[in-house]
Amino acid sequence: MKAEDSQKLIAGKILRGESPLNLEMPFEKLEGFLTLTESFYVRTHFPIPSIHKDAWWLRVEGDVENSFAINYEQLLELASTTIPMTLECAGNNRSFLEPKVKGVQWGLGAVGTAEWTGVPLSILLDRAGMKANASEVILEGADGGMLEDPKSPPGQLKFARSIPIEKARADVLVAYKMNGSDLAPQHGFPVRAIVPGWYAMASIKWLQRIIVTDQPFTGYYQTIDYAYWKRRAEVAELTPLTEMQVKAQIAKPAEGDVVPANSGVRVQGTAWTSNGEITKVELSTDGGSTWNDTNLLGEPKPNAWRLWEFNWQTPAAARTQTLIARATDSLGRTQPVERDRDRGTYMINHLLPIEVEVR
Ligand SMILES: Nc1nc2c(c(=O)[nH]1)N[C@H]1C(S)=C(S)[C@@H](COP(=O)(O)O)O[C@H]1N2
Ligand SMILES: [Mo]
């Protein structure tokens, strides 16, 4: 794979699309455990809705005893919690797929970690009182429009996704702060969902409606887009994407970088998984022939990435070296060597070699 030379930068981020707006963090700019809001990738499907917080209401409805609406001021009065959490777009790393596939051509930077502050969704669900048959919660954003995809519904469509009741009650946040400040418009102002451990399409921005239901939700972004082929008795079924897959990424050095020969070079990156923690990140500097354990930094935090580093003693002679990182988690899961094509254009976590010039 080759570094792209002609990347257009907007305020330090790689422009992947103007309308809808898609911006990627150059991953070699990794700042530390937390990603600054101004560096954080942006993924939108429709124009960013402009919502005044005084005019915003969140409705909780469907299979509940008491449907209600809550405004911004009232939401901020409820008990809140703050957690660091990694958001990764399900299409992160797509530009490395061979053969090429459709979709935003993300490199390494459609991922970031921020501190999110919000009200546990369970508090709102308890207030509404879910009926006994409730099985899922649909989260709907205020953004929408018409799509050209012949498989999309004709007319207006809103961005919406569902999560099972157990997950909704467990750790989902109705968030109004990112890294200690009000959400920025592009990140979902005034309020977004934060669904820990799941690919970021579930973390609905510009949240305006929570619909409790006893039926599996089969909306466009649930079953046609953001779905993959899962085999049951060898029959492929379109299955909504859910949890992030275990992955390590190398931030520094970056693809094509020149590093000094016969020197100590610090290789740095991040690794994450869902539902467990990262227990090991290995690094190969010889294209996968031999592997070294790297140092995991800091403490593990649920559903947030872990920084790692390795002090690489570079060879004395000038040559191209291939670096590969490989993460393993506490559930014994590790990254596949080969791409599973049933995953379509999503869930890209097979091993990704990068080439570095030793000079
Ligand atoms: N309402 C709404 N929510 C959304 C989206 C969207 O287009 N509309 N995009 C989703 C996708 S695919 C991703 S990767 C994340 C991106 O969040 P960010 O822009 O804050 O990084 O938001 C998710 N939530
Ligand atoms: Mo995404």
Side-chain angles (χ1 to χ4, degrees):
M1 77 204 204
K2 194 85 201 93
E4 284 168 58
D5 319 304
S6 58
Q7 283 172 342
K8 189 171 171 200
L9 293 182
I10 301 271
K13 284 187 278 207
I14 306 161
L15 183 67
R16 295 287 183 207
E18 231 146 356
S19 85
L21 183 68
N22 290 310
L23 301 170
E24 173 171 348
M25 182 184 101
F27 197 63
E28 67 274 16
K29 300 265 162 65
L30 180 75
E31 291 132 355
F33 176 67
L34 291 180
T35 309
L36 298 174
T37 301
E38 66 240 42
S39 310
F40 212 95
Y41 82 96
V42 173
R43 172 64 169 125
T44 65
H45 293 75
F46 299 107
I48 295 170
S50 115
I51 304 174
H52 196 284
K53 64 179 182 338
D54 297 335
W56 175 86
W57 289 89
L58 174 61
R59 285 182 287 152
V60 184
E61 58 184 59
D63 287 323
V64 296
E65 303 297 342
N66 313 294
S67 53
F68 68 93
I70 186 168
N71 67 19
Y72 188 74
E73 212 175 77
Q74 293 163 339
L75 185 76
L76 266 59
E77 282 165 11
L78 300 179
S80 71
T81 152
T82 298
I83 52 161
M85 203 212 55
T86 297
L87 272 186
E88 182 190 16
C89 179
N92 189 31
N93 303 170
R94 186 178 288 138
S95 64
F96 305 115
L97 291 183
E98 296 287 352
K100 291 271 165 248
V101 296
K102 281 192 188 153
V104 183
Q105 294 300 305
W106 301 112
L108 298 173
V111 60
T113 300
E115 250 172 10
W116 307 95
T117 302
V119 175
L121 176 55
S122 61
I123 292 183
L124 300 181
L125 295 176
D126 285 346
R127 176 179 290 193
M130 288 188 294
K131 296 204 171 138
N133 56 351
S135 58
E136 292 192 6
V137 173
I138 303 168
L139 306 174
E140 182 195 65
D143 55 327
M146 311 250 269
L147 296 181
E148 269 159 31
D149 182 353
K151 288 186 182 144
S152 69
Q156 292 290 318
L157 171 71
K158 285 206 150 45
F159 197 88
R161 260 270 173 176
S162 82
I163 43 180
I165 288 292
E166 307 74 58
K167 178 67 180 169
R169 302 198 69 103
D171 56 2
V172 175
L173 289 187
V174 176
Y176 48 80
K177 278 182 190 290
M178 174 180 186
N179 291 331
S181 303
D182 291 352
L183 289 177
Q186 65 272 26
H187 294 297
F189 183 84
V191 172
R192 78 178 300 170
I194 284 294
V195 180
W198 283 37
Y199 282 113
M201 74 278 133
S203 291
I204 300 296
K205 304 192 276 189
W206 312 292
L207 186 64
Q208 64 171 16
R209 210 146 61 105
I210 296 172
I211 309 152
V212 177
T213 168
D214 64 353
Q215 303 290 313
F217 176 59
T218 56
Y220 179 78
Y221 293 104
Q222 187 85 8
T223 54
I224 295 180
D225 207 356
Y226 297 104
Y228 71 107
W229 294 109
K230 192 168 166 180
R231 306 265 168 185
R232 188 154 54 110
E234 278 146 59
V235 182
E237 292 177 289
L238 271 177
T239 306
L241 298 174
T242 59
E243 293 178 346
M244 296 191 291
Q245 304 291 301
V246 62
K247 187 194 282 189
Q249 286 192 173
I250 301 170
K252 295 166 216 185
E255 169 76 23
D257 276 2
V258 175
V259 300
N262 204 19
S263 315
V265 168
R266 201 147 70 110
V267 182
Q268 293 170 277
T270 68
W272 62 94
T273 184
S274 66
N275 257 329
E277 57 187 54
I278 292 294
T279 47
K280 185 164 68 171
V281 175
E282 294 158 290
L283 182 78
S284 174
T285 56
D286 55 11
S289 302
T290 61
W291 294 87
N292 310 281
D293 278 343
T294 71
N295 296 320
L296 301 181
L297 308 179
E299 293 299 314
K301 303 263 172 67
N303 302 307
W305 66 23
R306 188 106 187 247
L307 300 188
W308 56 267
E309 61 177 39
F310 178 72
N311 194 20
W312 175 30
Q313 193 57 40
T314 59
R319 59 168 178 245
T320 304
Q321 295 281 130
T322 301
L323 309 187
I324 312 173
R326 177 171 71 192
T328 303
D329 73 11
S330 51
L331 297 172
R333 298 173 294 196
T334 191
Q335 298 179 243
V337 178
E338 300 291 344
R339 172 72 182 158
D340 172 0
R341 296 191 48 227
D342 277 354
R343 293 178 174 193
T345 64
Y346 298 115
M347 289 203 285
I348 303 152
N349 78 325
H350 61 291
L351 299 182
L352 213 58
I354 69 156
E355 289 193 345
V356 172
E357 298 301 325
V358 177
R359 245 179 247 163

